[in-house]
Amino acid sequence: MWMQLAIFLHIYKYRHKLKDAYAKDFWDGARKTLAALWDAQGWIWHGYEIHGFENIPDEGPALIIYYHGALPVDYYYVLAKCILYKHRKIRAVGDRFLWKIPGFKLLLEVFHVSEGSIQNSVELMKQGNLMAIAPGGVREAFFSDENYGLLWGKRVGFAKIAMEAKVPVIPMFTQNCREAFRSLGLFKGWLRKLYEKTRLPLVPLYGGFPVKLKTFIGKPIHHEANTTPEQFAQKIQIAVQDLIKTHQLIPGNILRAMYERFS
């Protein structure tokens, strides 16, 4: 009961902004209402903090590259902060299976999630938008573990987008995101083989634990002349790995992360 009251009061705090948003655009009002809800949830359940928020520009394009937890609740919290405090939306690239989840299509449209071809993403960036991509995608979400290994393979599309659009890349990582939700370790090897053949995300998840979450946003990275997409992708990957190495105790531990939340 106390949580519902706290969430209500948190949303009520933004009542004037929400009223103005609904008056101008119904879906903008819906976005800001959900952003206030996510912001309240992060504050109450995870004691959520964000460090380096100033590295996300108040205007102009940038590409946010982040580690993908089992469920990207940390991305929702960053999105909420951008909507509420920077008055900016973030365009996101999502896996195509999301469009097959009943009731998800409208949510994806309202929050500007797309499958994101390179050319389409470049055009969005040239229009001045913020964009977020997790290069590890579903594979990293389900098959990484408490050691926080990046599963990017040889993907370089995100680097090509930044280079063609001439935008900075902002690395991002959230401490303990793997402890908030986890993928079931049982039969993971078999499920990984099944995923590689079918692209069906059939890995069970568990969690929702009240662990401490802190998002760390790194300094913008610019590509240099004569840099190949492969070299730039590697530079970005190293930046995200450095954030993990600096801010995450490995292996992650659920009880320790919960203690950090309530200590």
Side-chain angles (χ1 to χ4, degrees):
M1 183 67 177
W2 66 269
M3 184 179 293
Q4 287 90 335
L5 289 172
I7 289 175
F8 169 78
L9 291 173
H10 194 82
I11 294 175
Y12 186 75
K13 181 174 68 175
Y14 295 104
R15 64 191 183 280
H16 297 303
K17 291 183 179 180
L18 299 180
K19 183 179 179 180
D20 290 342
Y22 276 109
K24 294 175 183 176
D25 182 337
F26 178 79
W27 293 121
D28 189 43
R31 275 190 292 269
K32 287 187 176 178
T33 302
L34 282 175
L37 177 62
W38 287 333
D39 197 48
Q41 182 195 54
W43 165 57
I44 295 168
W45 197 243
H46 297 293
Y48 180 71
E49 298 177 23
I50 186 168
H51 299 266
F53 192 47
E54 68 278 2
N55 291 325
I56 296 178
D58 294 334
E59 57 183 22
L63 178 60
I64 300 169
I65 299 294
Y66 65 100
Y67 172 84
H68 200 310
L71 278 182
V73 292
D74 55 320
Y75 169 72
Y76 304 154
Y77 299 154
V78 173
L79 173 61
K81 295 286 187 188
C82 281
I83 290 173
L84 294 174
Y85 299 109
K86 289 184 180 287
H87 309 291
R88 301 201 67 183
K89 299 185 286 287
I90 303 177
R91 306 268 179 167
V93 174
D95 195 280
R96 65 187 61 181
F97 89 89
L98 293 172
W99 279 262
K100 299 178 182 178
I101 300 175
F104 238 61
K105 185 176 179 180
L106 180 59
L107 182 67
L108 297 172
E109 290 177 355
V110 171
F111 282 94
H112 304 293
V113 182
S114 65
E115 292 185 34
S117 68
I118 290 177
Q119 194 53 47
N120 182 55
S121 298
V122 169
E123 289 302 316
L124 288 172
M125 300 254 73
K126 287 183 176 180
Q127 293 169 16
N129 291 293
L130 288 174
M131 179 170 280
I133 297 176
V138 173
R139 186 179 288 105
E140 189 167 272
F142 291 157
F143 302 111
S144 185
D145 56 26
E146 61 272 20
N147 292 308
Y148 287 85
L150 300 183
L151 301 182
W152 294 10
K154 296 182 179 180
R155 292 182 175 177
V156 296
F158 61 95
K160 291 179 179 178
I161 291 169
M163 292 174 71
E164 288 187 34
K166 296 180 174 59
V167 300
V169 172
I170 301 172
M172 185 178 89
F173 169 71
T174 299
Q175 182 186 86
N176 296 326
C177 64
R178 205 85 214 172
E179 280 58 70
F181 289 91
R182 283 192 175 175
S183 53
L184 195 65
L186 194 65
F187 307 121
K188 186 174 280 190
W190 181 81
L191 289 170
R192 173 75 181 267
K193 292 179 181 177
L194 180 64
Y195 171 76
E196 298 297 347
K197 289 183 178 180
T198 65
R199 290 296 187 269
L200 293 175
L202 300 177
V203 180
L205 302 178
Y206 67 97
F209 302 114
V211 302
K212 182 67 176 182
L213 292 182
K214 293 182 184 179
T215 293
F216 295 90
I217 300 171
K219 296 288 186 182
I221 304 170
H222 300 268
H223 77 276
E224 300 172 354
N226 302 319
T227 300
T228 66
E230 290 76 16
Q231 290 170 331
F232 193 42
Q234 185 179 31
K235 184 176 182 179
I236 297 166
Q237 182 170 342
I238 290 171
V240 175
Q241 287 174 327
D242 284 345
L243 289 176
I244 295 172
K245 183 179 179 180
T246 303
H247 300 292
Q248 181 66 53
L249 286 174
I250 293 177
N253 182 281
I254 294 172
L255 291 178
R256 182 180 65 227
M258 290 176 66
Y259 173 76
E260 291 171 358
R261 166 68 183 95
F262 294 106
S263 59

